[in-house]
Amino acid sequence: MPPFKETETTHTPDSERVRRAMAAGVIVGTWSWDVARDRLHIDESLAHALGLDPALARGPVSLDHVVGAIHPDDQAGLEAAIAAAIRRGGRYVHQYRARGADGAYRWLEAIGRVELDPDGRAVAFPGVLIDIGERRRLEAERDQAQTLLRSFVEAMPGVVYAKDRQGRLLIGNRGTTELIGRPPEAYVGRTDAELLADPAQAAAVMAADARVMASGQAEQLEEEVSFPDGRRATWLSTKAPLRDADGTVVGLVGTSLDITERKAAEQRQRETEERYRLVAHATNDAIWDWRMADGHVIWNEALTTLFGHARAETSAQWWLEHIHPDDRARIDADIHAVIDGTGSTWTGEYRFRRADGSYAAVLDRGTVLRDDAGAPLRMIGAMFDLTERKQAEAALAEREERLRLATDAGDMGFWDVDLVNDLLVWPPRTKAMFGISAHVPVSMRDFYEGLHPEDRERTSAAFDAAIDPGRRALYDVEYRTVGKEDGVVRWVAAKGRGLFEGDACVRVVGVVIDVTARKCAEAQLQELNERLEHRVAEEVAGRLQVEEALRQSQKMEAVGQLTGGIAHDFNNMLAAVIGPLDLLAARMGDDDPRARRYVDLAIDGARRAALLTQRLLAFSRQQPLQPVALDANRLVAGMSDLLVHSLGSSVRLETVLGAGLWWTHADANQLENVILNLVVNARDAMPDGGRLTVETANCHLDHRYAAEQVGVPEGQYVMIAVTDTGTGMPPEVIAKAFDPFFTTKQVGRGTGLGLSQVYGFVKQSAGHVKIYSELGQGTTVKVYLPRLLRHSPAQSAGEATGTASPLPLGDSGEVVLVVDDEPAVREFSVHALTELGYRVLEAEGADAALRLLEAHAEITLLFTDVVMPGLNGRQLADRARERRPDLKVLFTTGYTRNAVVHNGVLDPGVHLVGKPFTVEELAQRVRAVLDEAAPAR
């Protein structure tokens, strides 16, 4: 048969498949063997695969030549396979190793077909050669994995198996075979219902298998199983779904371990623990069980009932740490001497700390349990609370000590009257109380004769009541004695009780104490009480005065909170009035005088309303102060012209400035307002004229004055007093003078906020204000401001004021971001800043502002309200400066109790313009902030 060749015009289906296979690298060569003429042709690919000269493909080659390229171990098999194929004809397949052109052997598979003629003789034998090296490697790995899996499954303890979705066993190990009692070929492919003799057991197993396969989740459960020989066991089974390559559950795999012995051991352990628990309950001792391996200690409930520790388990170290420090080292050494030695019992007494911190005296006993080698395993013991016994012993010792002291002390003694034998037993101390020497014998006659005549009858009656069988009274009496030898009168207290035999008193035993000193002390105490009652009355009156002052302070604080809130709302509303009016006035000019007059009237009214809110804030101590080191003398002197102008011609002004006046720390502008308010009030109190004095002085408020004035610390103060010769005020008016809106003036003549503003400023400045007044004699209001101990010229209030300057303007290169949740205020601020020449962006809240800051790096100034929902203005500024450290910030608010003012004073470096503000105020503050030099870093 001619060798396989392709023409350019014809392709048989077989030749096409061969060509494609060779192109894909599956076939590495082809051959065609004309058996009848014994002409074998190979292509170049086959020659290359066998490591032969490619030139052999141009002509017939001998079969021996080809066989010679085969691995020597495979040549005999190849020849036998070829001979067999030629004899029988048909399909031929054989595998062998051949050396390639690189000299290395690789596995090849020859596939061909032997064609026979009608007489059964081979005439043609074409075929292909395939490289099966990779397939052989995979098959080897598969065989190795299967062998390993079979070995692993067989080596697994217990039962290991796999089942399909119908519950049929796919594989099982030796444990499975023992459980079922049949060889694998008898149970593979069958279900538990077909294999297990117990139907209930089979149903339970299959139900659990179905549940695991349905849920797709692994489970661990205990199963009761029966062996073929009748044994029953408990198996701990772990079952998991068996999945294919796509993750679909196609069956179940499981393992089971026989835990019958473990269950039995657990039951025995529970029974032992229950017996131990019953024993521990049956005693009041704290039973403990100490495991030496890890120091773990188990306690019974007595640890809680006796010592208060709500614990059932501790460490040995915990027990040791609860032993009194003075006992700890001794107990630690004693118990370890037993444990580390060969002993078995230990006993010790020590103090054990209870849960409340007190210590209990305990007796502790323990027994060491050792293994066969003598090593300690556990120690079990009981702790007995000795506290009550120790307390009883201590009480007995204390009584004995007291008894001894009673006999030894000079002012106490025993007495014993033997009524049967008419004997009196007195120790020396008792004799001394009756003025009798220690060696002198005594009798009942000495007792009666030694009583003070005024106390004899009463004392004798008490003794008779004690020996009377019908009354058997306690002999308890105090009386005076007159010394038999020294004549000294002493007070004694005697107590005793009769001892009866039947209806007869045979003895009376008791003690006697010298109480002379006590009686003297009682007399002195009575005298002291009489003096104390008078002092108490004075203290109560003072306390009532202080309580009244405290109630007044609390009332002022509450009203301050209310007025501060009102002022806040007013400022927000006025900010939307004054600003737009200011802009309107600027736009109108003087073209319409009447309209301009109307606008001026509205601006004037709004500004007076703003002044009213400023006074409300001053009273409520919520105005932002800018305190500086201040010379009050210079400030008062500088106000002289203003005060004279405010008083008019009927009132004469005098100023008395104290020499060497201390400096104080206050807001100069606000202090001027305070003095002006006081002066105006004083003027109104002198309708017919009079004299007004403004005085300054240094003063010291001592602890007595500070104690009488609630909230006023003692110390050094600068005092500014305003005194008038007017009508004066009654006490009930003085009590309300600082209340907001309280006024004695006619309707329309005052707001009642002048003194309220004074009160708020002084309290906000850590000072004190006091009114002294008498009807018809005039009034003095004294303002006390704390002394400033240290100051520098830079802290002092400036004296020079700048001249009026034109409205400062900006330029379009300076960008201002306006943030305010009040739409009207925000709109005014935007228009005003635009009119002033700035480029303006606006935001209604912190979130929008942060986004604009990210988008516009050219923003120069953040102008933000302080009180806003969500992030407030201070928080917004802090976050903005995290991203833009050079960003300048100007705050505005109508209420200062917030994040930029603390204790009434602006935080350092904070710029603030209060609401409401005019265009001029806004222009000046914005310009000042923008022109401020950046701080050095």
Side-chain angles (χ1 to χ4, degrees):
M1 185 176 186
F4 176 80
K5 293 184 180 179
E6 289 189 29
T7 66
E8 296 181 355
T9 58
T10 62
H11 296 278
T12 66
D14 287 342
S15 64
E16 178 63 23
R17 283 195 295 270
V18 169
R19 188 190 65 80
R20 290 178 181 175
M22 291 185 69
V26 176
I27 297 176
V28 297
T30 64
W31 79 84
S32 176
W33 183 13
D34 185 349
V35 181
R37 293 185 293 174
D38 192 19
R39 296 175 63 85
L40 175 62
H41 293 270
I42 62 174
D43 61 10
E44 291 184 2
S45 297
L46 189 145
H48 183 269
L50 297 180
L52 301 176
D53 185 358
L56 295 176
R58 291 194 292 269
V61 296
S62 67
L63 180 61
D64 292 339
H65 201 161
V66 173
V67 173
I70 305 305
H71 193 285
D73 295 343
D74 300 338
Q75 290 179 2
L78 173 60
E79 292 174 346
I82 293 174
I86 291 176
R87 285 195 304 272
R88 68 173 183 275
R91 180 174 174 78
Y92 160 80
V93 177
H94 188 69
Q95 296 177 0
Y96 50 82
R97 289 164 290 179
R99 191 199 311 266
D102 57 359
Y105 284 99
R106 56 177 174 169
W107 278 99
L108 302 173
E109 184 177 59
I111 303 175
R113 175 176 293 277
V114 177
E115 296 179 5
L116 303 177
D117 62 11
D119 297 330
R121 292 189 298 271
V123 294
F125 189 178
V128 297
L129 200 61
I130 300 175
D131 187 341
I132 60 169
E134 181 65 17
R135 190 177 77 188
R136 293 275 299 193
R137 186 185 64 79
L138 293 176
E139 289 174 350
E141 290 180 355
R142 179 200 62 198
D143 294 343
Q144 183 180 8
Q146 288 179 346
T147 301
L148 179 62
L149 177 61
R150 282 194 297 270
S151 300
F152 178 75
V153 170
E154 286 298 322
M156 286 286 289
V159 175
V160 180
Y161 54 88
K163 300 178 183 179
D164 63 13
R165 284 303 298 259
Q166 287 71 40
R168 292 187 293 264
L169 280 164
L170 302 175
I171 189 175
N173 69 339
R174 182 182 297 103
T176 307
T177 302
E178 293 175 356
L179 174 63
I180 297 175
R182 302 182 189 180
E185 58 270 16
Y187 61 73
V188 171
R190 305 181 68 182
T191 66
D192 291 290
E194 297 170 321
L195 296 171
L196 298 179
D198 187 342
Q201 175 184 329
V205 171
M206 294 188 70
D209 293 348
R211 183 175 64 251
V212 170
M213 288 187 286
S215 67
Q217 301 293 325
E219 288 188 21
Q220 190 175 70
L221 64 157
E222 292 184 5
E223 296 178 312
E224 297 293 332
V225 298
S226 299
F227 284 89
D229 60 3
R231 286 185 299 116
R232 296 189 62 84
T234 302
W235 291 84
L236 179 62
S237 298
T238 301
K239 302 186 177 186
L242 177 63
R243 302 177 185 273
D244 61 11
D246 297 331
T248 303
V249 177
V250 295
L252 173 139
V253 292
T255 62
S256 298
L257 292 175
D258 189 345
I259 59 171
T260 307
E261 282 300 320
R262 193 188 78 183
K263 297 285 285 187
E266 289 176 352
Q267 180 61 29
R268 291 193 298 271
Q269 177 68 18
R270 285 193 294 270
E271 292 173 355
T272 301
E273 290 175 352
E274 180 63 17
R275 286 195 297 271
Y276 176 79
R277 188 184 66 82
L278 294 175
V279 170
H281 274 297
T283 179
N284 292 327
D285 294 352
I287 306 298
W288 48 268
D289 186 346
W290 177 9
R291 189 169 60 207
M292 298 295 175
D294 55 5
H296 185 256
V297 181
I298 300 175
W299 299 82
N300 69 340
E301 291 83 351
L303 183 66
T304 302
T305 57
L306 291 179
F307 307 111
H309 296 292
R311 289 171 171 263
E313 300 180 13
T314 70
S315 65
Q317 185 63 30
W318 178 91
W319 164 75
L320 190 63
E321 290 172 353
H322 279 70
I323 296 176
H324 193 283
D326 295 343
D327 302 336
R328 190 175 301 156
R330 172 177 56 85
I331 295 299
D332 190 22
D334 290 350
I335 196 168
H336 278 92
V338 175
I339 295 171
D340 298 338
T342 58
S344 60
T345 59
W346 164 81
T347 302
E349 285 192 25
Y350 55 88
R351 287 161 290 178
F352 184 73
R353 189 169 74 241
R354 299 187 180 94
D356 61 5
S358 63
Y359 282 91
V362 299
L363 171 64
D364 209 347
R365 298 143 297 174
T367 300
V368 181
L369 303 180
R370 302 179 183 273
D371 61 14
D372 295 339
L377 299 177
R378 295 167 62 192
M379 190 172 188
I380 300 175
M383 186 189 298
F384 177 66
D385 191 348
L386 296 174
T387 305
E388 292 184 0
R389 192 182 80 182
K390 290 288 186 180
Q391 288 174 346
E393 292 175 352
L396 179 58
E398 184 180 359
R399 285 195 296 271
E400 292 175 348
E401 179 65 13
R402 190 179 299 117
L403 185 61
R404 186 188 65 80
L405 292 175
T407 59
D408 292 341
D411 59 350
M412 185 175 183
F414 283 106
W415 51 269
D416 186 351
V417 179
D418 186 346
L419 296 177
V420 176
N421 300 305
D422 192 21
L423 295 175
L424 175 63
V425 178
W426 273 358
R429 302 300 185 266
T430 307
K431 291 179 182 179
M433 297 178 194
F434 284 81
I436 300 174
S437 299
H439 63 279
V440 177
V442 294
S443 65
M444 286 298 294
R445 181 178 178 179
D446 293 315
F447 167 68
Y448 284 112
E449 289 179 352
L451 295 175
H452 192 283
E454 295 179 5
D455 300 333
R456 189 172 295 159
E457 183 179 355
R458 177 171 54 86
T459 303
S460 298
F463 188 81
D464 292 340
I467 64 177
D468 184 356
R471 287 182 288 176
R472 302 191 182 195
L474 174 67
Y475 179 71
D476 187 358
V477 64
E478 291 185 358
Y479 52 84
R480 285 165 289 180
T481 65
V482 180
K484 181 179 180 180
E485 299 176 5
D486 57 14
V488 176
V489 177
R490 299 174 178 86
W491 273 99
V492 297
K495 282 189 178 183
R497 187 177 294 278
L499 302 178
F500 294 84
E501 292 182 359
D503 293 333
C505 183
V506 295
R507 291 175 65 192
V508 183
V509 181
V511 294
V512 62
I513 303 174
D514 188 337
V515 294
T516 305
R518 192 192 76 189
K519 286 293 185 179
C520 294
E522 288 175 352
Q524 294 175 354
L525 181 61
Q526 183 175 1
E527 181 183 357
L528 179 62
N529 284 340
E530 292 173 356
R531 293 200 302 268
L532 186 60
E533 288 176 0
H534 178 68
R535 292 187 59 187
V536 168
E538 293 179 346
E539 290 291 336
V540 169
R543 184 182 296 273
L544 291 176
Q545 183 179 0
V546 173
E547 289 177 352
E548 179 61 27
L550 178 60
R551 282 193 294 271
Q552 176 69 10
S553 175
Q554 291 173 338
K555 179 184 74 174
M556 298 297 280
E557 182 68 21
V559 175
Q561 293 288 337
L562 175 62
T563 56
I566 294 173
H568 166 242
D569 293 339
F570 271 32
N571 276 335
N572 273 335
M573 291 185 284
L574 289 171
V577 174
I578 291 178
L581 286 174
D582 205 14
L583 286 175
L584 180 61
R587 286 184 176 275
M588 289 178 59
D590 298 326
D591 295 340
D592 190 344
R594 179 178 297 179
R596 178 58 183 263
R597 176 60 180 161
Y598 293 156
V599 171
D600 290 344
L601 289 173
I603 291 175
D604 182 63
R607 286 178 175 169
R608 284 189 285 113
L611 180 60
L612 176 65
T613 60
Q614 182 182 2
R615 290 182 172 181
L616 286 172
L617 286 174
F619 165 73
S620 62
R621 287 173 275 169
Q622 296 167 15
Q623 61 180 341
L625 299 182
Q626 301 184 44
V628 294
L630 187 67
D631 183 351
N633 279 350
R634 186 177 301 174
L635 183 138
V636 171
M639 293 181 64
S640 296
D641 292 340
L642 173 62
L643 297 181
V644 170
H645 177 74
S646 301
L647 291 174
S649 59
S650 61
V651 177
R652 181 164 53 89
L653 174 67
E654 293 183 4
T655 57
V656 181
L657 303 180
L661 189 69
W662 296 326
W663 289 70
T664 186
H665 193 241
D667 189 310
N669 292 331
Q670 294 298 330
L671 183 56
E672 287 181 350
N673 288 336
V674 165
I675 296 173
L676 184 61
N677 273 322
L678 294 177
V679 169
V680 171
N681 275 357
R683 179 202 65 190
D684 294 343
M686 298 183 289
D688 299 326
R691 184 177 71 255
L692 186 143
T693 304
V694 179
E695 179 184 3
T696 64
N698 297 328
C699 68
H700 181 271
L701 302 183
D702 59 19
H703 70 279
R704 179 176 298 178
Y705 182 89
E708 295 174 354
Q709 307 296 324
V710 177
V712 178
E714 64 175 300
Q716 295 176 328
Y717 291 83
V718 174
M719 183 200 72
I720 303 173
V722 177
T723 304
D724 64 62
T725 58
T727 56
M729 292 183 285
E732 61 272 14
V733 173
I734 295 176
K736 298 180 179 179
F738 294 125
D739 290 1
F741 307 113
F742 175 78
T743 181
T744 58
K745 300 176 183 178
Q746 297 178 1
V747 176
R749 295 294 302 276
T751 63
L753 285 173
L755 287 178
S756 300
Q757 184 179 6
V758 172
Y759 176 85
F761 165 75
V762 173
K763 291 299 182 183
Q764 195 172 356
S765 301
H768 174 54
V769 60
K770 186 70 175 178
I771 298 177
Y772 303 89
S773 184
E774 293 184 16
L775 285 174
Q777 300 298 318
T779 301
T780 297
V781 180
K782 293 184 177 181
V783 172
Y784 299 89
L785 296 175
R787 176 186 180 184
L788 179 62
L789 297 179
R790 295 181 181 178
H791 75 280
S792 63
Q795 295 175 306
S796 304
E799 297 180 8
T801 58
T803 60
S805 59
L807 200 64
L809 302 177
D811 60 62
S812 59
E814 294 175 311
V815 183
V816 181
L817 173 59
V818 177
V819 185
D820 201 309
D821 62 316
E822 290 286 341
V825 179
R826 187 173 70 251
E827 183 177 358
F828 156 65
S829 301
V830 170
H831 286 308
L833 290 169
T834 303
E835 291 286 340
L836 292 171
Y838 298 99
R839 188 157 69 92
V840 185
L841 301 174
E842 61 177 303
E844 63 179 354
D847 293 338
L850 290 173
R851 289 194 294 271
L852 286 173
L853 284 167
E854 287 288 343
H856 296 275
E858 69 275 15
I859 293 175
T860 313
L861 174 69
L862 172 65
F863 179 48
T864 177
D865 190 13
V866 176
V867 180
M868 296 187 297
L871 293 178
N872 63 34
R874 184 56 182 265
Q875 294 167 331
L876 168 60
D878 291 342
R879 292 200 180 181
R881 280 178 167 164
E882 289 176 0
R883 309 172 187 183
R884 295 269 305 278
D886 59 338
L887 181 67
K888 297 186 177 181
V889 180
L890 175 60
F891 295 101
T892 182
T893 184
Y895 183 58
T896 61
R897 181 170 289 181
N898 50 48
V900 298
V901 176
H902 292 90
N903 299 321
V905 179
L906 282 177
D907 292 343
V910 171
H911 300 283
L912 176 71
V913 57
K915 294 181 182 178
F917 50 82
T918 65
V919 174
E920 181 180 359
E921 293 169 336
L922 179 62
Q924 292 174 346
R925 294 301 295 158
V926 169
R927 194 69 261 159
V929 174
L930 288 173
D931 292 342
E932 182 183 47
R937 293 183 179 274

